[in-house]
Amino acid sequence: MILLYSATGNTVCVARQLGRLLGEEVVSLHEADANRLKGQQRIVWCFPIHSWGMPKAVRGFIDSLVMPAESKHIMVCTCGDDIGMADYQWRKALAKRGATGGAAFSVQMPNTYVALPGFDVDSPEVVSLKLKQAAVRVEEIARAIYADEPVGSVVRGAFARVKTGLLYPLFMRFLTHASRFTVNDDCVGCGKCLLAKCGYIELKEGRPIWRHERCNMCMACYHSCPRHAINYTRFTRKKGQYLANQ
Ligand SMILES: Cc1cc2nc3c(=O)[nH]c(=O)nc-3n(C[C@H](O)[C@H](O)[C@H](O)COP(=O)(O)O)c2cc1C
């Protein structure tokens, strides 16, 4: 089984390609529960990297269930550049729930993090290059999974321990407040931001409101808005938007 979490669609593309190559069903994390996971021979966890670690939704999912110890757990994550020690974090979280995390792989995809100065979406040239390379990389990963290779391959980047051990908790604590999302008068109430599927946004009188305490900070609402009317602080006003072509 391919267990999928994605905010802006990159990981959907990767999970679907993997599913086709391995002949495995892709199941969304939102539709999975303990019963669905039980008895699976292999679970391939597909999710994006958020601040050199797991997205809140993936962490929450693992923490809420007893994981099937009989399954082989494999991680395939997507990232803009590098993942730090996210695979260690994933293994540790699984171990706490009674399962053993095995091989981990990363795939570079177009970047979706734009909320701090210095971060923006990739240029169209970089997007197209990354997508071409990713398709080849996923084939490579599928072969490794099929051959049951115990060791995966990830791009850790520089200062990997500091990024996951120190920056990740700081990011989750201080830089994921949905109260910093704003919507301006360009909003036409089209509701495309609800496609973010996080379930934490609703339309009130034709405008989005965020349920502050539970936002995943996945940025899907920001990227989905056809009018660029949604912003996360002033830093995103001049930033680009990106949604994967699924
Ligand atoms: C909140 C947030 C944090 C991110 N942090 C990282 C990161 O630490 N390293 C990285 O390479 N990419 C990072 N990214 C980029 C995403 O991991 C990447 O674009 C991913 O492919 C998005 O997948 P999705 O479209 O399936 O959500 C981040 C994106 C978001 C929204």
Side-chain angles (χ1 to χ4, degrees), residues 48 95 119 153 200 208:
F119 291 84
S153 53
Y200 306 147

Side-chain angles (χ1 to χ4, degrees), residues 210-221:
W210 287 262
R211 296 199 224 149
H212 294 178
E213 72 290 358
R214 299 193 67 189
C215 172
N216 273 318
M217 190 57 196
C218 72
M219 306 292 297
C221 54

Side-chain angles (χ1 to χ4, degrees), residues 113-120 171 175 217 219 232-233 235-236 239:
Y113 188 70
V114 297
L116 280 175
F119 291 84
D120 205 342
F171 178 88
L175 295 175
M217 190 57 196
M219 306 292 297
Y232 188 80
T233 74
F235 293 128
T236 62
K239 301 286 180 71

Side-chain angles (χ1 to χ4, degrees), residues 23-51:
E24 297 215 19
E25 185 190 7
V26 178
V27 176
S28 162
L29 198 78
H30 299 298
E31 287 152 19
D33 57 17
N35 275 340
R36 195 76 185 72
L37 302 189
K38 212 167 149 191
Q40 292 291 332
Q41 202 187 357
R42 175 166 68 196
I43 301 176
V44 183
W45 294 73
C46 281
F47 56 84
I49 290 299
H50 283 180
S51 192

